[in-house]
Amino acid sequence: MSKPFLPLELFIGLRYTRARRQNHFVSFISLASMLGIAIGVLVLITVLSVMNGFEVTLRDRMLGMLAHVTISSQNDAQLDSIEAPALRSTIQTYPYVKAISAFIEKPVMLNQGDEARGVLLQAIEPEQESQVADVFKHVEKGDMQALVAGSNGIAIGAGLAKELKVELGDALTLISPTEDILDTSELPVLQRFTVKAIFRVDMQNYDTGFAYVNLKDAQQALGMGENITGLRLRLGDAWRAPKVADDIYNRLLPEYPNLWVGDWTSQQGNFFKALQIQKSVMFIILMLIIAVAAFNLVSTLVMVVTDKEANIAILRTLGLSPARIMGVFMVQGSLIGFIGTLLGVVLGVLLASHLETIVPWLERLLDTHFISAEAYQISELQSKVNPADVIVIAISSLLMAIVATLYPAWRASKVQPAEALRYE
């Protein structure tokens, strides 16, 4: 008989795995363990890809609406007509600053007929703001460049337009109470604006809570003269925002002691930290699915060892050491784990990569909408497969499968030939 080319443990382990005459119940349990590992890996890859897509989508859309760095005065004070140009000239010399836009930010009410909604008014200079924020790329109707000084034009989100029941060309009344209205009983500011543009970012808080007007129109309507709330900066690299913000603050603090400098990570950092924590918790929880499948692999191999006790005894009498007997069954269990992991990775990557097509099809089929904009801020499910996540999941699954083989393999190595062959 020719000697097998493979190591003996691997040769026998592979032979046991594909043997057709073994106990059918054991075969079924092996298949169930393999499918359990595959399903666990598939679910874990899909869920983490959805969470990755959710995080990336929110970050991109938030960065499209928020400035990388924001400069203003503390205690809601305004920058006057002398401070603002001086700050702009100084900040323009910073190497990472690509664009600067002056703005006024103020909570106001918008009224149309019987409907009224509170929004955060953003007064901007369209040419400057288009270089700092991406809201201009999400215009659904009209043109935000039509917000020219003296036009009293306003741009609102699609959700807000729906709530106020307005379209392009309709008029809205801006209501802004004065800060000391309770002390002076002064009437609030009332100003008519015409809807010039409707944008849709597909984020609930922006589509229903933001409105844009020209900076000059807001200054005139609110009686601010040449004052502004602050400056927004766009950087070449958004991830440098914390360092750039600290550098600006430290360099300008002696000259401007009331200056406030913030970046997008300080404004939304806790939100993304919460997403990361949620992702880590979901990873641990869903890993338990794979752990359950690995536990089933233990029971499968224990039954295989019991079924093969006579064969083990014969191998021992032929001189195979206990360590090599362990190797035989570790090969068998590891192969089940490898096939299950490979199957789960392939199906998981395919499912996660095509989820943006599958989910709309299921929504049409079931006549429902899975993603609520009110709850999740976005209305469409996004998925992003992260190769690093896939590698970690695959390695973790294989390690659990290998660990699951240790006890059954050790039990096989302890089979006594005389006892096993007594009744054969």
Short mmCIF file of all heavy atoms in Angstrom, two decimals, residues 334-400:
data_model
loop_
_atom_site.label_atom_id
_atom_site.label_comp_id
_atom_site.label_asym_id
_atom_site.label_seq_id
_atom_site.Cartn_x
_atom_site.Cartn_y
_atom_site.Cartn_z
N SER A 334 -11.76 21.26 12.59
CA SER A 334 -11.31 22.51 11.99
C SER A 334 -11.80 22.65 10.57
O SER A 334 -12.10 23.76 10.10
CB SER A 334 -9.77 22.58 12.02
OG SER A 334 -9.30 22.55 13.35
N LEU A 335 -11.88 21.51 9.84
CA LEU A 335 -12.38 21.55 8.47
C LEU A 335 -13.85 21.97 8.44
O LEU A 335 -14.26 22.77 7.58
CB LEU A 335 -12.20 20.18 7.81
CG LEU A 335 -12.59 20.12 6.32
CD1 LEU A 335 -11.72 21.08 5.51
CD2 LEU A 335 -12.45 18.70 5.78
N ILE A 336 -14.64 21.46 9.37
CA ILE A 336 -16.04 21.87 9.46
C ILE A 336 -16.13 23.37 9.73
O ILE A 336 -16.91 24.10 9.11
CB ILE A 336 -16.78 21.08 10.56
CG1 ILE A 336 -16.89 19.60 10.15
CG2 ILE A 336 -18.17 21.67 10.81
CD1 ILE A 336 -17.45 18.71 11.24
N GLY A 337 -15.29 23.87 10.68
CA GLY A 337 -15.27 25.29 10.99
C GLY A 337 -14.81 26.13 9.81
O GLY A 337 -15.35 27.20 9.54
N PHE A 338 -13.79 25.62 9.07
CA PHE A 338 -13.26 26.37 7.92
C PHE A 338 -14.31 26.49 6.82
O PHE A 338 -14.51 27.58 6.26
CB PHE A 338 -12.01 25.67 7.39
CG PHE A 338 -11.46 26.30 6.15
CD1 PHE A 338 -10.71 27.47 6.21
CD2 PHE A 338 -11.71 25.73 4.91
CE1 PHE A 338 -10.22 28.06 5.06
CE2 PHE A 338 -11.22 26.32 3.74
CZ PHE A 338 -10.47 27.48 3.82
N ILE A 339 -14.97 25.36 6.51
CA ILE A 339 -15.99 25.40 5.44
C ILE A 339 -17.14 26.31 5.84
O ILE A 339 -17.64 27.11 5.04
CB ILE A 339 -16.49 23.98 5.13
CG1 ILE A 339 -15.35 23.13 4.55
CG2 ILE A 339 -17.67 24.03 4.15
CD1 ILE A 339 -15.71 21.67 4.34
N GLY A 340 -17.59 26.19 7.11
CA GLY A 340 -18.68 27.05 7.58
C GLY A 340 -18.29 28.52 7.54
O GLY A 340 -19.08 29.37 7.12
N THR A 341 -17.05 28.83 7.98
CA THR A 341 -16.59 30.22 7.96
C THR A 341 -16.48 30.75 6.54
O THR A 341 -16.92 31.87 6.24
CB THR A 341 -15.22 30.33 8.66
OG1 THR A 341 -15.35 29.90 10.02
CG2 THR A 341 -14.71 31.76 8.63
N LEU A 342 -15.90 29.95 5.65
CA LEU A 342 -15.75 30.38 4.25
C LEU A 342 -17.11 30.62 3.60
O LEU A 342 -17.31 31.63 2.91
CB LEU A 342 -14.98 29.31 3.48
CG LEU A 342 -14.72 29.61 1.99
CD1 LEU A 342 -13.86 30.86 1.85
CD2 LEU A 342 -14.06 28.41 1.31
N LEU A 343 -18.05 29.70 3.85
CA LEU A 343 -19.38 29.87 3.30
C LEU A 343 -20.05 31.12 3.84
O LEU A 343 -20.67 31.90 3.10
CB LEU A 343 -20.23 28.63 3.63
CG LEU A 343 -21.65 28.58 3.05
CD1 LEU A 343 -21.61 28.56 1.53
CD2 LEU A 343 -22.39 27.34 3.58
N GLY A 344 -19.90 31.37 5.16
CA GLY A 344 -20.49 32.56 5.77
C GLY A 344 -19.88 33.84 5.25
O GLY A 344 -20.58 34.83 5.02
N VAL A 345 -18.54 33.84 5.06
CA VAL A 345 -17.87 35.04 4.55
C VAL A 345 -18.33 35.37 3.13
O VAL A 345 -18.66 36.52 2.81
CB VAL A 345 -16.33 34.85 4.58
CG1 VAL A 345 -15.63 35.94 3.76
CG2 VAL A 345 -15.83 34.89 6.02
N VAL A 346 -18.37 34.35 2.27
CA VAL A 346 -18.79 34.58 0.87
C VAL A 346 -20.22 35.09 0.81
O VAL A 346 -20.51 36.11 0.16
CB VAL A 346 -18.63 33.28 0.05
CG1 VAL A 346 -19.24 33.46 -1.34
CG2 VAL A 346 -17.16 32.91 -0.07
N LEU A 347 -21.14 34.40 1.50
CA LEU A 347 -22.54 34.81 1.47
C LEU A 347 -22.74 36.16 2.18
O LEU A 347 -23.55 36.98 1.73
CB LEU A 347 -23.41 33.74 2.12
CG LEU A 347 -23.49 32.39 1.39
CD1 LEU A 347 -24.36 31.40 2.16
CD2 LEU A 347 -24.01 32.57 -0.03
N GLY A 348 -22.01 36.38 3.27
CA GLY A 348 -22.15 37.63 4.00
C GLY A 348 -21.69 38.82 3.19
O GLY A 348 -22.36 39.87 3.15
N VAL A 349 -20.55 38.70 2.51
CA VAL A 349 -20.04 39.79 1.67
C VAL A 349 -20.99 40.05 0.51
O VAL A 349 -21.27 41.21 0.16
CB VAL A 349 -18.62 39.48 1.17
CG1 VAL A 349 -18.18 40.48 0.12
CG2 VAL A 349 -17.63 39.46 2.34
N LEU A 350 -21.50 38.97 -0.11
CA LEU A 350 -22.44 39.13 -1.23
C LEU A 350 -23.71 39.83 -0.76
O LEU A 350 -24.21 40.75 -1.43
CB LEU A 350 -22.77 37.77 -1.83
CG LEU A 350 -21.69 37.12 -2.69
CD1 LEU A 350 -22.12 35.72 -3.12
CD2 LEU A 350 -21.39 37.98 -3.92
N LEU A 351 -24.25 39.40 0.38
CA LEU A 351 -25.48 40.00 0.89
C LEU A 351 -25.26 41.46 1.27
O LEU A 351 -26.07 42.33 0.91
CB LEU A 351 -25.98 39.21 2.11
CG LEU A 351 -27.25 39.74 2.79
CD1 LEU A 351 -28.42 39.76 1.82
CD2 LEU A 351 -27.59 38.91 4.02
N ALA A 352 -24.17 41.74 1.99
CA ALA A 352 -23.91 43.11 2.42
C ALA A 352 -23.65 44.03 1.23
O ALA A 352 -24.05 45.20 1.24
CB ALA A 352 -22.72 43.14 3.38
N SER A 353 -23.00 43.51 0.19
CA SER A 353 -22.69 44.33 -0.98
C SER A 353 -23.92 44.68 -1.80
O SER A 353 -23.93 45.68 -2.52
CB SER A 353 -21.66 43.61 -1.86
OG SER A 353 -20.46 43.36 -1.15
N HIS A 354 -24.94 43.83 -1.73
CA HIS A 354 -26.15 44.04 -2.54
C HIS A 354 -27.36 44.43 -1.69
O HIS A 354 -28.49 44.39 -2.17
CB HIS A 354 -26.47 42.78 -3.35
CG HIS A 354 -25.43 42.45 -4.38
ND1 HIS A 354 -24.29 41.74 -4.08
CD2 HIS A 354 -25.34 42.76 -5.70
CE1 HIS A 354 -23.55 41.61 -5.17
NE2 HIS A 354 -24.16 42.21 -6.17
N LEU A 355 -27.11 44.80 -0.44
CA LEU A 355 -28.21 45.10 0.48
C LEU A 355 -29.01 46.32 0.02
O LEU A 355 -30.22 46.38 0.20
CB LEU A 355 -27.65 45.34 1.88
CG LEU A 355 -28.58 45.01 3.06
CD1 LEU A 355 -28.99 43.55 3.00
CD2 LEU A 355 -27.87 45.28 4.38
N GLU A 356 -28.33 47.28 -0.60
CA GLU A 356 -29.02 48.50 -1.04
C GLU A 356 -29.98 48.21 -2.18
O GLU A 356 -30.87 49.01 -2.47
CB GLU A 356 -27.98 49.55 -1.47
CG GLU A 356 -27.12 50.02 -0.31
CD GLU A 356 -25.93 50.85 -0.78
OE1 GLU A 356 -26.02 51.40 -1.89
OE2 GLU A 356 -24.95 50.94 -0.03
N THR A 357 -29.80 47.07 -2.87
CA THR A 357 -30.75 46.64 -3.91
C THR A 357 -31.82 45.73 -3.33
O THR A 357 -32.99 45.81 -3.72
CB THR A 357 -30.00 45.90 -5.03
OG1 THR A 357 -28.98 46.75 -5.55
CG2 THR A 357 -30.95 45.51 -6.15
N ILE A 358 -31.42 44.86 -2.39
CA ILE A 358 -32.34 43.88 -1.83
C ILE A 358 -33.40 44.54 -0.95
O ILE A 358 -34.58 44.20 -1.03
CB ILE A 358 -31.55 42.81 -1.02
CG1 ILE A 358 -30.63 42.03 -1.96
CG2 ILE A 358 -32.50 41.87 -0.30
CD1 ILE A 358 -29.68 41.10 -1.23
N VAL A 359 -32.97 45.49 -0.10
CA VAL A 359 -33.91 46.11 0.85
C VAL A 359 -35.04 46.85 0.14
O VAL A 359 -36.21 46.67 0.49
CB VAL A 359 -33.15 47.03 1.83
CG1 VAL A 359 -34.12 47.88 2.65
CG2 VAL A 359 -32.29 46.20 2.77
N PRO A 360 -34.76 47.71 -0.87
CA PRO A 360 -35.88 48.35 -1.58
C PRO A 360 -36.83 47.35 -2.23
O PRO A 360 -38.04 47.57 -2.26
CB PRO A 360 -35.17 49.22 -2.64
CG PRO A 360 -33.83 49.49 -2.07
CD PRO A 360 -33.46 48.25 -1.32
N TRP A 361 -36.26 46.24 -2.73
CA TRP A 361 -37.12 45.20 -3.32
C TRP A 361 -38.04 44.59 -2.27
O TRP A 361 -39.23 44.38 -2.51
CB TRP A 361 -36.24 44.13 -3.97
CG TRP A 361 -37.03 43.00 -4.56
CD1 TRP A 361 -37.70 42.97 -5.75
CD2 TRP A 361 -37.25 41.71 -3.94
NE1 TRP A 361 -38.32 41.76 -5.92
CE2 TRP A 361 -38.07 40.97 -4.83
CE3 TRP A 361 -36.85 41.14 -2.74
CZ2 TRP A 361 -38.48 39.66 -4.55
CZ3 TRP A 361 -37.26 39.84 -2.46
CH2 TRP A 361 -38.05 39.12 -3.36
N LEU A 362 -37.48 44.31 -1.08
CA LEU A 362 -38.31 43.77 0.00
C LEU A 362 -39.35 44.79 0.46
O LEU A 362 -40.48 44.41 0.79
CB LEU A 362 -37.42 43.37 1.19
CG LEU A 362 -36.57 42.11 1.01
CD1 LEU A 362 -35.64 41.93 2.22
CD2 LEU A 362 -37.45 40.88 0.83
N GLU A 363 -38.98 46.06 0.49
CA GLU A 363 -39.93 47.10 0.90
C GLU A 363 -41.10 47.17 -0.08
O GLU A 363 -42.26 47.31 0.34
CB GLU A 363 -39.22 48.45 0.99
CG GLU A 363 -38.27 48.56 2.17
CD GLU A 363 -37.54 49.89 2.21
OE1 GLU A 363 -37.49 50.58 1.16
OE2 GLU A 363 -37.02 50.25 3.28
N ARG A 364 -40.81 47.07 -1.37
CA ARG A 364 -41.89 47.08 -2.35
C ARG A 364 -42.73 45.81 -2.24
O ARG A 364 -43.97 45.85 -2.37
CB ARG A 364 -41.32 47.19 -3.77
CG ARG A 364 -40.71 48.56 -4.08
CD ARG A 364 -40.43 48.70 -5.56
NE ARG A 364 -39.47 47.71 -6.03
CZ ARG A 364 -38.16 47.89 -6.05
NH1 ARG A 364 -37.63 49.03 -5.60
NH2 ARG A 364 -37.35 46.95 -6.50
N LEU A 365 -42.07 44.68 -1.99
CA LEU A 365 -42.79 43.41 -1.90
C LEU A 365 -43.72 43.38 -0.69
O LEU A 365 -44.86 42.93 -0.78
CB LEU A 365 -41.78 42.25 -1.82
CG LEU A 365 -42.37 40.83 -1.71
CD1 LEU A 365 -43.12 40.48 -2.99
CD2 LEU A 365 -41.27 39.81 -1.45
N LEU A 366 -43.22 43.89 0.44
CA LEU A 366 -43.99 43.85 1.70
C LEU A 366 -44.80 45.12 1.93
O LEU A 366 -45.52 45.22 2.93
CB LEU A 366 -43.04 43.63 2.88
CG LEU A 366 -42.19 42.35 2.83
CD1 LEU A 366 -41.22 42.30 4.00
CD2 LEU A 366 -43.10 41.11 2.84
N ASP A 367 -44.65 46.09 1.02
CA ASP A 367 -45.39 47.36 1.10
C ASP A 367 -45.15 48.03 2.46
O ASP A 367 -46.08 48.40 3.17
CB ASP A 367 -46.89 47.13 0.89
CG ASP A 367 -47.64 48.46 0.70
OD1 ASP A 367 -46.98 49.42 0.28
OD2 ASP A 367 -48.85 48.50 0.97
N THR A 368 -43.87 48.17 2.80
CA THR A 368 -43.50 48.82 4.06
C THR A 368 -42.18 49.54 3.88
O THR A 368 -41.54 49.42 2.82
CB THR A 368 -43.38 47.79 5.21
OG1 THR A 368 -43.16 48.48 6.44
CG2 THR A 368 -42.23 46.83 4.96
N HIS A 369 -41.78 50.30 4.88
CA HIS A 369 -40.51 51.02 4.84
C HIS A 369 -39.76 50.70 6.12
O HIS A 369 -40.23 50.98 7.21
CB HIS A 369 -40.75 52.53 4.71
CG HIS A 369 -39.53 53.29 4.29
ND1 HIS A 369 -38.99 53.17 3.04
CD2 HIS A 369 -38.74 54.15 4.97
CE1 HIS A 369 -37.92 53.95 2.95
NE2 HIS A 369 -37.73 54.55 4.11
N PHE A 370 -38.58 50.07 5.97
CA PHE A 370 -37.85 49.59 7.13
C PHE A 370 -37.16 50.71 7.91
O PHE A 370 -37.02 50.62 9.12
CB PHE A 370 -36.79 48.57 6.69
CG PHE A 370 -37.37 47.32 6.09
CD1 PHE A 370 -36.71 46.64 5.08
CD2 PHE A 370 -38.57 46.81 6.53
CE1 PHE A 370 -37.23 45.49 4.53
CE2 PHE A 370 -39.12 45.66 5.99
CZ PHE A 370 -38.44 44.99 4.98
N ILE A 371 -36.70 51.75 7.23
CA ILE A 371 -35.90 52.81 7.87
C ILE A 371 -36.78 54.03 8.08
O ILE A 371 -37.24 54.65 7.13
CB ILE A 371 -34.67 53.17 7.02
CG1 ILE A 371 -33.83 51.93 6.73
CG2 ILE A 371 -33.84 54.23 7.72
CD1 ILE A 371 -33.27 51.28 7.96
N SER A 372 -37.00 54.38 9.34
CA SER A 372 -37.78 55.56 9.67
C SER A 372 -36.86 56.76 9.81
O SER A 372 -35.94 56.75 10.62
CB SER A 372 -38.55 55.33 10.97
OG SER A 372 -39.14 56.53 11.42
N ALA A 373 -37.11 57.80 9.02
CA ALA A 373 -36.28 59.00 9.08
C ALA A 373 -36.39 59.68 10.45
O ALA A 373 -35.43 60.28 10.94
CB ALA A 373 -36.68 59.97 7.98
N GLU A 374 -37.56 59.58 11.08
CA GLU A 374 -37.74 60.20 12.38
C GLU A 374 -36.87 59.53 13.44
O GLU A 374 -36.34 60.18 14.35
CB GLU A 374 -39.21 60.13 12.82
CG GLU A 374 -40.14 61.05 12.05
CD GLU A 374 -40.52 60.49 10.70
OE1 GLU A 374 -40.12 59.33 10.40
OE2 GLU A 374 -41.20 61.19 9.93
N ALA A 375 -36.67 58.22 13.32
CA ALA A 375 -35.90 57.49 14.32
C ALA A 375 -34.41 57.45 14.02
O ALA A 375 -33.58 57.57 14.91
CB ALA A 375 -36.44 56.06 14.45
N TYR A 376 -34.06 57.26 12.73
CA TYR A 376 -32.67 57.03 12.36
C TYR A 376 -32.02 58.19 11.61
O TYR A 376 -30.87 58.09 11.21
CB TYR A 376 -32.57 55.77 11.49
CG TYR A 376 -33.07 54.54 12.18
CD1 TYR A 376 -34.31 54.00 11.88
CD2 TYR A 376 -32.30 53.92 13.16
CE1 TYR A 376 -34.78 52.86 12.52
CE2 TYR A 376 -32.76 52.79 13.82
CZ TYR A 376 -34.01 52.27 13.49
OH TYR A 376 -34.46 51.16 14.12
N GLN A 377 -32.75 59.28 11.39
CA GLN A 377 -32.27 60.48 10.72
C GLN A 377 -32.07 60.30 9.22
O GLN A 377 -32.12 61.26 8.47
CB GLN A 377 -30.95 60.98 11.34
CG GLN A 377 -31.06 61.34 12.82
CD GLN A 377 -29.84 62.08 13.30
OE1 GLN A 377 -29.44 63.06 12.73
NE2 GLN A 377 -29.24 61.58 14.38
N ILE A 378 -31.82 59.09 8.73
CA ILE A 378 -31.69 58.86 7.31
C ILE A 378 -32.85 57.98 6.86
O ILE A 378 -33.42 57.23 7.65
CB ILE A 378 -30.35 58.20 6.94
CG1 ILE A 378 -30.22 56.82 7.61
CG2 ILE A 378 -29.19 59.09 7.31
CD1 ILE A 378 -28.98 56.07 7.19
N SER A 379 -33.20 58.07 5.57
CA SER A 379 -34.37 57.36 5.07
C SER A 379 -34.03 56.14 4.24
O SER A 379 -34.91 55.35 3.91
CB SER A 379 -35.24 58.32 4.23
OG SER A 379 -34.49 58.85 3.15
N GLU A 380 -32.76 55.97 3.86
CA GLU A 380 -32.36 54.85 3.03
C GLU A 380 -31.25 54.07 3.71
O GLU A 380 -30.34 54.65 4.29
CB GLU A 380 -31.89 55.33 1.64
CG GLU A 380 -32.94 56.09 0.85
CD GLU A 380 -34.16 55.24 0.50
OE1 GLU A 380 -33.99 54.01 0.39
OE2 GLU A 380 -35.25 55.81 0.35
N LEU A 381 -31.35 52.73 3.63
CA LEU A 381 -30.35 51.87 4.24
C LEU A 381 -29.08 51.84 3.39
O LEU A 381 -29.14 51.66 2.18
CB LEU A 381 -30.90 50.45 4.39
CG LEU A 381 -30.02 49.44 5.14
CD1 LEU A 381 -29.90 49.84 6.59
CD2 LEU A 381 -30.61 48.04 5.03
N GLN A 382 -27.94 52.05 4.02
CA GLN A 382 -26.65 52.01 3.34
C GLN A 382 -25.80 50.90 3.96
O GLN A 382 -25.90 50.62 5.15
CB GLN A 382 -25.93 53.35 3.48
CG GLN A 382 -26.71 54.55 2.97
CD GLN A 382 -26.81 54.58 1.47
OE1 GLN A 382 -25.93 54.10 0.77
NE2 GLN A 382 -27.91 55.12 0.96
N SER A 383 -24.96 50.29 3.14
CA SER A 383 -24.09 49.22 3.62
C SER A 383 -22.68 49.43 3.09
O SER A 383 -22.49 49.81 1.94
CB SER A 383 -24.63 47.86 3.16
OG SER A 383 -23.77 46.81 3.56
N LYS A 384 -21.70 49.19 3.95
CA LYS A 384 -20.30 49.32 3.55
C LYS A 384 -19.51 48.18 4.16
O LYS A 384 -19.39 48.08 5.39
CB LYS A 384 -19.72 50.66 4.00
CG LYS A 384 -18.25 50.85 3.65
CD LYS A 384 -17.77 52.22 4.07
CE LYS A 384 -16.25 52.34 3.85
NZ LYS A 384 -15.89 52.11 2.43
N VAL A 385 -18.98 47.30 3.31
CA VAL A 385 -18.20 46.16 3.78
C VAL A 385 -16.79 46.64 4.11
O VAL A 385 -16.09 47.20 3.25
CB VAL A 385 -18.14 45.05 2.71
CG1 VAL A 385 -17.30 43.88 3.21
CG2 VAL A 385 -19.55 44.58 2.37
N ASN A 386 -16.38 46.43 5.35
CA ASN A 386 -15.04 46.80 5.79
C ASN A 386 -14.17 45.54 5.79
O ASN A 386 -14.42 44.61 6.56
CB ASN A 386 -15.10 47.40 7.19
CG ASN A 386 -13.77 47.96 7.63
OD1 ASN A 386 -12.72 47.65 7.05
ND2 ASN A 386 -13.77 48.79 8.65
N PRO A 387 -13.15 45.46 4.91
CA PRO A 387 -12.32 44.24 4.85
C PRO A 387 -11.72 43.87 6.20
O PRO A 387 -11.59 42.68 6.50
CB PRO A 387 -11.23 44.62 3.84
CG PRO A 387 -11.85 45.68 2.98
CD PRO A 387 -12.75 46.45 3.89
N ALA A 388 -11.36 44.86 7.01
CA ALA A 388 -10.78 44.57 8.32
C ALA A 388 -11.78 43.83 9.21
O ALA A 388 -11.42 42.88 9.92
CB ALA A 388 -10.32 45.86 9.00
N ASP A 389 -13.05 44.25 9.16
CA ASP A 389 -14.09 43.56 9.94
C ASP A 389 -14.24 42.12 9.48
O ASP A 389 -14.39 41.20 10.29
CB ASP A 389 -15.42 44.30 9.80
CG ASP A 389 -15.45 45.61 10.56
OD1 ASP A 389 -14.60 45.80 11.44
OD2 ASP A 389 -16.32 46.45 10.26
N VAL A 390 -14.24 41.91 8.16
CA VAL A 390 -14.40 40.56 7.61
C VAL A 390 -13.26 39.66 8.07
O VAL A 390 -13.48 38.50 8.46
CB VAL A 390 -14.47 40.61 6.07
CG1 VAL A 390 -14.52 39.20 5.49
CG2 VAL A 390 -15.69 41.40 5.61
N ILE A 391 -12.04 40.19 8.04
CA ILE A 391 -10.87 39.40 8.46
C ILE A 391 -10.97 39.04 9.94
O ILE A 391 -10.72 37.88 10.33
CB ILE A 391 -9.58 40.18 8.17
CG1 ILE A 391 -9.37 40.31 6.66
CG2 ILE A 391 -8.37 39.49 8.81
CD1 ILE A 391 -8.22 41.22 6.27
N VAL A 392 -11.33 40.01 10.78
CA VAL A 392 -11.46 39.75 12.22
C VAL A 392 -12.54 38.70 12.48
O VAL A 392 -12.35 37.78 13.30
CB VAL A 392 -11.78 41.06 12.97
CG1 VAL A 392 -12.16 40.77 14.43
CG2 VAL A 392 -10.59 42.00 12.93
N ILE A 393 -13.67 38.81 11.80
CA ILE A 393 -14.77 37.85 11.98
C ILE A 393 -14.33 36.46 11.56
O ILE A 393 -14.57 35.46 12.26
CB ILE A 393 -16.01 38.30 11.18
CG1 ILE A 393 -16.59 39.58 11.78
CG2 ILE A 393 -17.07 37.20 11.16
CD1 ILE A 393 -17.63 40.23 10.89
N ALA A 394 -13.66 36.36 10.40
CA ALA A 394 -13.24 35.05 9.90
C ALA A 394 -12.22 34.40 10.84
O ALA A 394 -12.33 33.21 11.16
CB ALA A 394 -12.64 35.20 8.50
N ILE A 395 -11.25 35.19 11.30
CA ILE A 395 -10.23 34.63 12.20
C ILE A 395 -10.86 34.22 13.53
O ILE A 395 -10.55 33.15 14.07
CB ILE A 395 -9.11 35.67 12.43
CG1 ILE A 395 -8.31 35.88 11.14
CG2 ILE A 395 -8.18 35.23 13.56
CD1 ILE A 395 -7.27 36.97 11.24
N SER A 396 -11.77 35.05 14.06
CA SER A 396 -12.44 34.72 15.33
C SER A 396 -13.25 33.44 15.19
O SER A 396 -13.24 32.58 16.09
CB SER A 396 -13.35 35.87 15.76
OG SER A 396 -12.62 37.06 15.94
N SER A 397 -13.95 33.29 14.07
CA SER A 397 -14.76 32.09 13.85
C SER A 397 -13.87 30.85 13.76
O SER A 397 -14.18 29.81 14.36
CB SER A 397 -15.57 32.25 12.56
OG SER A 397 -16.28 31.07 12.26
N LEU A 398 -12.77 30.94 13.03
CA LEU A 398 -11.86 29.80 12.91
C LEU A 398 -11.24 29.44 14.25
O LEU A 398 -11.11 28.24 14.58
CB LEU A 398 -10.76 30.12 11.89
CG LEU A 398 -11.18 30.15 10.42
CD1 LEU A 398 -10.03 30.64 9.55
CD2 LEU A 398 -11.62 28.76 9.97
N LEU A 399 -10.85 30.45 15.03
CA LEU A 399 -10.27 30.17 16.34
C LEU A 399 -11.26 29.46 17.25
O LEU A 399 -10.90 28.51 17.97
CB LEU A 399 -9.79 31.48 16.98
CG LEU A 399 -8.53 32.10 16.39
CD1 LEU A 399 -8.20 33.42 17.07
CD2 LEU A 399 -7.34 31.14 16.52
N MET A 400 -12.53 29.91 17.24
CA MET A 400 -13.54 29.25 18.08
C MET A 400 -13.77 27.82 17.63
O MET A 400 -13.98 26.92 18.45
CB MET A 400 -14.84 30.05 18.06
CG MET A 400 -14.80 31.28 18.94
SD MET A 400 -16.43 32.01 19.23
CE MET A 400 -16.71 32.78 17.65
#
